[in-house]
Amino acid sequence: NAGVTQTPKFQVLKTGQSMTLQCAQDMNHEYMSWYRQDPGMGLRLIHYSVGAGITDQGEVPNGYNVSRSTTEDFPLRLLSAAPSQTSVYFCASRALTGGRLDTQYFGPGTRLTVL
Amino acid sequence: SQKIEQNSEALNIQEGKTATLTCNYTNYSPAYLQWYRQDPGRGPVFLLLIRENEKEKRKERLKVTFDTTLKQSLFHITASQPADSATYLCALDPLGGGYNKLIFGAGTRLAVHP
């Protein structure tokens, strides 16, 4: 299993540009999430999905869109990049085992800089 | 407001000693508490999960305690090694089972010196 994969690893954008961060998992996990990590702060939840076709907002959703058309993929779209979105982005997935959420697995992260 | 706190200062210890990291929380009644390890430039890696009805959990050289009265979890690494140097994150799962809104602390950096 490759686990959770993310592309690209690094990205530089100009203010106002749009882009999509890719995330895929091969563990057939129902739950997937996007977090951002900023210096001195904990990981903050952006959006999450409890299954294909179902998404919901997390703590910091503004400026981001998600969709979940398959179990495997959960892309994060930045609609119009702003310098405040400079961060490291992590995708994660969890299985639902016996009615309870199991261990969360994180991808390697995408480091995004918005100029 | 809901809050989860970890020591922001790095913890420096000598190899072979026990490292103890603290996670304090307010305004939660967490169902689960998790600990993760994060190395520079990498994603967090799950280490241990402890449930609200468990006082202590062990895995090899790792031990986690969970005191819901004090609203605190302690994470211990015994016989620490330089390879244990990393940032350790705690995360609360306020509702457990069916929800996916983990709340993370900022992490504590551990440096184990030979």
Side-chain angles (χ1 to χ4, degrees), chain B residues 31-49:
Chain B
Y32 304 159
L33 190 143
Q34 302 182 14
W35 284 88
Y36 291 79
R37 170 184 172 136
Q38 187 174 23
D39 292 288
R42 309 193 79 145
V45 175
F46 172 80
L47 295 175
L48 280 168
L49 178 151

Side-chain angles (χ1 to χ4, degrees), chain B residues 22-75:
Chain B
T22 304
C23 177
N24 294 301
Y25 59 92
T26 58
N27 298 334
Y28 287 116
S29 294
Y32 304 159
L33 190 143
Q34 302 182 14
W35 284 88
Y36 291 79
R37 170 184 172 136
Q38 187 174 23
D39 292 288
R42 309 193 79 145
V45 175
F46 172 80
L47 295 175
L48 280 168
L49 178 151
I50 188 164
R51 295 185 169 85
E52 59 183 336
N53 59 349
E54 298 173 323
K55 297 291 184 193
E56 184 178 297
K57 204 79 168 281
R58 291 175 185 261
K59 179 182 174 184
E60 297 171 354
R61 294 184 296 112
L62 309 180
K63 184 177 88 171
V64 172
T65 62
F66 193 10
D67 189 325
T68 55
T69 302
L70 291 178
K71 293 188 181 294
Q72 182 181 78
S73 175
L74 299 178
F75 177 79

Side-chain angles (χ1 to χ4, degrees), chain A residues 33 37 94 100-101 104, chain B residues 32 38 51 98-100 102:
Chain A
S33 306
Q37 187 175 39
R94 299 174 84 174
R100 286 188 164 178
L101 283 170
Q104 179 151 244
Chain B
Y32 304 159
Q38 187 174 23
R51 295 185 169 85
Y99 293 87
N100 195 38
L102 283 182

Side-chain angles (χ1 to χ4, degrees), chain A residues 34-99:
Chain A
W34 276 102
Y35 294 88
R36 60 177 288 172
Q37 187 175 39
D38 301 295
M41 301 184 73
L43 288 153
R44 290 183 293 168
L45 184 65
I46 304 171
H47 285 285
Y48 68 99
S49 169
V50 301
I54 307 169
T55 63
D56 204 350
Q57 296 181 352
E59 180 186 355
V60 288
N62 292 341
Y64 307 95
N65 268 2
V66 292
S67 60
R68 183 108 179 262
S69 55
T70 66
T71 299
E72 294 77 20
D73 300 299
F74 190 43
L76 178 72
R77 278 181 284 278
L78 279 72
L79 308 172
S80 177
S84 61
Q85 294 178 304
T86 294
S87 188
V88 181
Y89 291 84
F90 289 100
C91 180
S93 74
R94 299 174 84 174
L96 187 63
T97 305

